[in-house]
């Protein structure tokens, strides 16, 4: 920290903006609150005087602000600033903050409280803090369960370096949101101009040769090893490193249903699908690469396999209950570890490798045939009403082929269909929304903000769509020129809830009478209509014949700069 001359009118707002600029935040994602007037004034001065500062996004809902920061961070992998309003705004955005924690996205989230309630010297913070906005223990106490780190900035003089510390903690493994409570009185206090030091990226960690060599020996001796991964693709270079590792040793890769991003090309001959079940009894070595919860139920132990966990932070502090059955850990950076292991793929038992590669080729061919058969059957169906969801995903894949597109997925009962039939094959081409429904549009907007040159598609169920803050999301899309293709899988029901009711009470009163509560969405209007007031492109699709042309028109509109919403009535 260095001393500088105080600028005229410099206060805590300047200190905060300067700090976010120093840590390299490209954006401040803000859902407006009355505490942020000092920040707005600082930004106005900087814009007037041509001084550097993060770009400010004025967003009208907390979930949109946090969700966009999440989407941006999924692609950029660097911490951004999020400004919410007091404790109520933090609570409103808490689901999305929790989602960022689960997705491993770094960000610094801030909001305020009052410490004087108008009884101290200086400007009056306003009676709303005394009557309505303050919360016992302060908002940093509220944020503790769903952030990596949460505290209060108690002085304007330490505020810049507190932001630096928050960003450093957020960026380091396991990456996630840090929270900083900045009282309004601190924001209004005169600042002496001492600035934060620019943020330095985290150093790279490595597993030692003494740790890697025994694991390489285990792999060399294994007859039927398998790789299981949930988030290898979230690490910088992790996608490419996993491909090189799997190819070097000729080991199949399973992406279980718990996978939250694209980790391995689904078109690759070594991709072994999403079902870990067959491997639980057959594998003699399971390599868990960035897996927080690979086995369900957690007590389901592999019958004979040794388990090696490859993860920089395998025991995630924010996961309440976690069982990995590890026999060995490699806790260096995942991409580095995989590269080290790939270099050690020497002196292999060629006969054993040939046997497992033949078995994997047969599995892969069977999966290819099953996918093709499902798509042929879906395409051959000509119902009077409705489209098979397999056909929706397959048509999207064909239309996105060669476009370098990114898919953000917020479907539930259709998520397996989306993953299986989109068959994404590139890094950062697929993300599944974490932490609760209602964030998908915002996360997709943030992804688009970070990858403006790439088409971004949101696949979403009608139930999930209704949880989203649709109007604020559409406002952000239009205000900041972030065109998306939103494809709604509309089955007019909360299908996941209905399936659970039927599973728990197969012969219950609801099954007898047909009274399925908590699930019916027939009363909603068709969902594309909500985009019309924003001048967006809308399509409502009820038949298979109409699907392809509607999606083509929608993608054309997106390429021309307009968000398009395609509401597809699906058969299941």
């Amino acid at each position: 920290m260095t001393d500088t001359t105080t600028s005229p009118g410099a206060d805590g707002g300047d200190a905060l903006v300067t700090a976010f600029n120093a840590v390299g935040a490209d954006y401040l994602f803000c859902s407006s609150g009355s505490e942020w007037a000092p920040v707005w004034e600082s930004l106005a001065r900087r814009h007037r005087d041509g001084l550097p500062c993060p770009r400010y996004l004025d967003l009208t809902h907390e979930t949109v602000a946090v969700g966009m920061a999440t989407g941006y961070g999924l692609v950029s992998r660097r911490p951004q600033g999020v400004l919410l309003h007091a404790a109520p705004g933090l609570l409103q955005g808490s689901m999305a903050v929790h989602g960022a924690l689960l997705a491993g996205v770094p960000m610094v989230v801030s909001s305020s409280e009052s410490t004087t309630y108008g009884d101290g010297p200086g400007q009056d913070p306003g009676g709303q803090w005394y009557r309505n906005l303050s919360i016992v223990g302060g908002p940093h106490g509220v944020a503790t369960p769903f952030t990596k780190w949460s505290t209060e900035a108690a002085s304007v003089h330490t505020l810049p370096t507190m932001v630096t510390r928050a960003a450093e903690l957020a960026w380091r493994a396991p990456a996630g949101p840090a929270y900083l409570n900045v009282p309004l009185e601190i924001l209004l206090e005169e600042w002496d101009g001492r600035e934060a030091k620019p943020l330095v990226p985290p150093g790279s960690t490595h597993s030692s040769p003494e740790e890697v060599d025994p694991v390489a020996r285990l792999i060399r001796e294994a007859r039927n090893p398998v790789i299981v991964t949930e988030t290898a693709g979230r690490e910088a270079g992790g996608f490419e490193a996993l491909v090189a590792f799997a190819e070097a040793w000729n080991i199949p890769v399973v992406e279980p249903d718990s996978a939250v991003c694209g980790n391995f090309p689904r078109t690759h001959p070594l991709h072994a699908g999403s079902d870990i079940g067959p491997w639980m009894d057959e594998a003699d070595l399971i390599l868990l690469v960035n897996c927080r919860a690979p086995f369900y139920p957690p007590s389901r132990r592999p019958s004979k396999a040794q388990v090696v966990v490859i993860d920089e932070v395998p025991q995630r502090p924010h996961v309440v209950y976690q069982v990995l059955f590890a026999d060995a850990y490699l806790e260096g950076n995942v991409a580095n570890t995989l590269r080290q292991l790939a270099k050690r793929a020497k002196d292999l038992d060629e006969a054993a490798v040939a046997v497992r590669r033949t078995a994997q080729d047969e599995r892969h061919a069977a999966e290819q045939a099953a996918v093709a058969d499902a798509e042929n059957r879906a395409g051959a169906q000509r119902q009077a009403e409705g489209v098979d969801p397999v056909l929706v995903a397959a048509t999207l894949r064909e239309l996105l082929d060669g476009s370098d597109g990114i898919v953000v997925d917020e479907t539930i009962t259709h998520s397996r269909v989306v993953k299986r039939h989109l068959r994404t094959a590139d890094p950062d081409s697929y993300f599944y929304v974490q932490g609760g429904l209602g964030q998908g549009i915002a996360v997709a907007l943030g992804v688009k903000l970070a990858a403006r040159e790439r088409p971004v598609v949101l696949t979403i169920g009608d139930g999930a769509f209704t949880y989203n803050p649709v109007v604020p999301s559409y406002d952000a899309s239009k205000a900041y020129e972030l065109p998306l293709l939103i494809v709604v899988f509309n089955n007019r029901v909360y299908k996941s809830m209905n399936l659970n009711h039927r599973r728990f009470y197969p012969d219950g009163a609801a099954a007898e009478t047909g009274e399925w509560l908590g699930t019916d969405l027939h009363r909603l209007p068709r969902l594309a209509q909500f985009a019309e007031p924003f001048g967006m492109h809308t399509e409502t699709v009820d038949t298979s014949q109409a699907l392809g042309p509607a999606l083509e028109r929608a993608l054309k509109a997106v390429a021309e700069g307009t968000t398009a919403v395609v509401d597809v009535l699906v058969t299941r």
Side-chain angles (χ1 to χ4, degrees):
M1 192 167 72
T2 56
D3 292 321
T4 60
T5 304
T6 304
S7 302
D11 57 18
D14 287 301
L16 193 65
V17 171
T18 298
F20 275 119
N21 196 62
V23 302
D26 300 317
Y27 291 92
L28 295 177
F29 299 86
C30 182
S31 177
S32 297
S34 55
E35 65 263 53
W36 299 123
V39 167
W40 298 332
E41 181 63 18
S42 174
L43 290 169
R45 283 198 295 266
R46 287 171 177 271
H47 296 158
R48 180 196 64 192
D49 299 337
L51 298 175
C53 58
R55 184 177 175 188
Y56 175 84
L57 298 184
D58 203 355
L59 306 165
T60 54
H61 195 282
E62 292 85 355
T63 298
V64 177
V66 182
M68 286 185 65
T70 298
Y72 191 85
L74 285 170
V75 178
S76 74
R77 297 179 173 86
R78 292 184 290 103
Q80 304 300 309
V82 179
L83 307 180
L84 306 178
H85 178 40
L90 174 63
L91 288 168
Q92 180 72 46
S94 60
M95 179 188 67
V97 179
H98 179 241
L101 180 68
L102 296 181
V105 175
M107 63 180 67
V108 179
V109 181
S110 289
S111 69
S112 283
E113 63 179 339
S114 175
T115 54
T116 66
Y117 305 109
D119 279 340
Q123 298 192 57
D124 181 6
Q128 73 273 19
W129 295 94
Y130 180 53
R131 294 188 296 266
N132 296 323
L133 296 180
S134 294
I135 192 166
V136 174
H140 48 291
V142 171
T144 298
F146 51 83
T147 57
K148 279 187 66 177
W149 177 81
S150 177
T151 195
E152 176 184 5
S155 166
V156 71
H157 306 298
T158 59
L159 174 58
T161 47
M162 288 290 271
V163 173
T164 300
R165 175 163 167 73
E168 287 177 337
L169 286 166
W171 206 354
R172 277 153 179 80
Y179 173 79
L180 193 60
N181 168 22
V182 187
L184 179 53
E185 287 83 352
I186 300 297
L187 289 169
L188 291 168
E189 189 176 344
E190 184 178 326
W191 174 49
D192 61 12
R194 289 179 290 178
E195 297 183 359
K197 184 180 182 296
L199 192 65
V200 177
S204 179
T205 60
H206 293 256
S207 295
S208 69
E210 292 78 11
E211 296 166 319
V212 175
D213 286 339
V215 172
R217 187 162 53 251
L218 287 175
I219 302 172
R220 192 173 292 109
E221 294 170 354
R223 313 295 290 184
N224 195 20
V226 65
I227 299 164
V228 183
T229 182
E230 293 176 340
T231 61
R234 281 289 299 115
E235 308 295 329
F239 188 102
E240 297 86 346
L242 181 58
V243 172
F245 169 58
E247 289 179 344
W249 292 91
N250 265 289
I251 303 176
V253 178
V254 173
E255 288 185 285
D257 290 335
S258 52
V260 303
C261 61
N263 303 289
F264 195 82
R266 285 191 167 258
T267 54
H268 197 289
L270 286 172
H271 196 288
S274 301
D275 187 7
I276 193 176
W279 301 93
M280 298 298 283
D281 293 325
E282 296 174 7
D284 56 357
L285 180 65
I286 296 177
L287 300 151
L288 299 180
V289 181
N290 268 22
C291 276
R292 62 184 179 187
F295 309 121
Y296 189 83
S299 60
R300 187 187 183 195
R301 179 190 292 268
S303 61
K304 61 182 179 181
Q306 288 187 284
V307 177
V308 175
V309 174
I310 301 173
D311 196 321
E312 192 167 5
V313 186
Q315 296 295 335
R316 305 293 169 88
H318 59 268
V319 176
V320 175
Y321 185 61
Q322 187 181 20
V323 180
L324 299 175
F325 296 121
D327 295 294
Y329 287 106
L330 290 178
E331 298 188 37
N333 173 271
V334 166
N336 286 336
T337 301
L338 294 176
R339 293 186 193 108
Q340 288 191 60
L341 287 170
K343 291 177 182 177
R344 287 164 169 78
K346 301 173 183 176
D347 303 321
L348 306 186
D349 183 335
E350 297 299 336
V353 169
V355 168
R356 70 173 179 251
R357 186 58 191 255
T358 298
Q360 173 55 26
D361 287 343
E362 291 174 357
R363 279 189 294 265
H364 184 72
E367 171 64 7
Q368 296 271 75
V371 167
D373 181 62
E375 292 179 4
N376 289 334
R377 285 187 282 108
Q381 293 174 6
R382 289 292 183 266
Q383 295 99 329
E385 188 177 64
V387 183
D388 192 307
V390 167
L391 185 61
V392 181
T395 305
L396 268 175
R397 182 191 70 236
E398 292 169 1
L399 292 174
L400 290 173
D401 184 39
S403 69
D404 196 25
I406 304 174
V407 176
V408 177
D409 189 17
E410 198 177 26
T411 60
I412 299 297
T413 54
H414 297 116
S415 61
R416 293 180 184 178
V417 168
V418 169
K419 290 178 184 176
R420 190 184 192 201
H421 293 277
L422 277 175
R423 298 175 64 75
T424 53
D426 299 309
D428 293 338
S429 59
Y430 174 85
F431 300 105
Y432 191 77
V433 176
Q434 296 293 290
L437 297 177
Q439 309 169 63
I441 306 177
V443 172
L445 288 170
V447 168
K448 182 65 176 179
L449 185 66
R452 287 183 177 269
E453 73 287 355
R454 299 175 67 182
V456 176
V457 180
L458 172 67
T459 53
I460 187 169
D462 53 330
F465 184 92
T466 60
Y467 285 132
N468 275 257
V470 173
V471 170
S473 297
Y474 286 171
D475 170 64
S477 174
K478 188 160 187 178
Y480 297 108
E481 298 179 340
L482 300 170
L484 306 174
L485 170 57
I486 300 173
V487 180
V488 184
F489 287 65
N490 190 344
N491 56 14
R492 296 177 172 175
V493 65
Y494 283 120
K495 191 65 173 288
S496 178
M497 303 176 196
N498 184 256
L499 289 173
N500 275 325
H501 192 159
R502 293 174 185 271
R503 180 163 62 95
F504 296 146
Y505 303 98
D507 301 314
E512 179 184 345
T513 64
E515 184 183 9
W516 301 106
L517 300 176
T519 65
D520 184 26
L521 295 177
H522 280 83
R523 66 182 182 270
L524 294 178
R526 294 304 293 269
L527 300 176
Q529 298 175 22
F530 294 98
E532 291 175 359
F534 292 88
M536 295 174 175
H537 182 92
T538 63
E539 299 272 358
T540 298
V541 176
D542 290 340
T543 64
S544 299
Q545 297 91 322
L547 176 65
L551 288 174
E552 286 187 38
R553 290 190 295 268
L555 279 169
K556 183 174 184 293
V558 171
E560 293 171 350
T562 302
T563 285
V565 184
V566 183
D567 178 3
V568 183
L569 182 67
V570 292
T571 54
R572 51 189 167 93

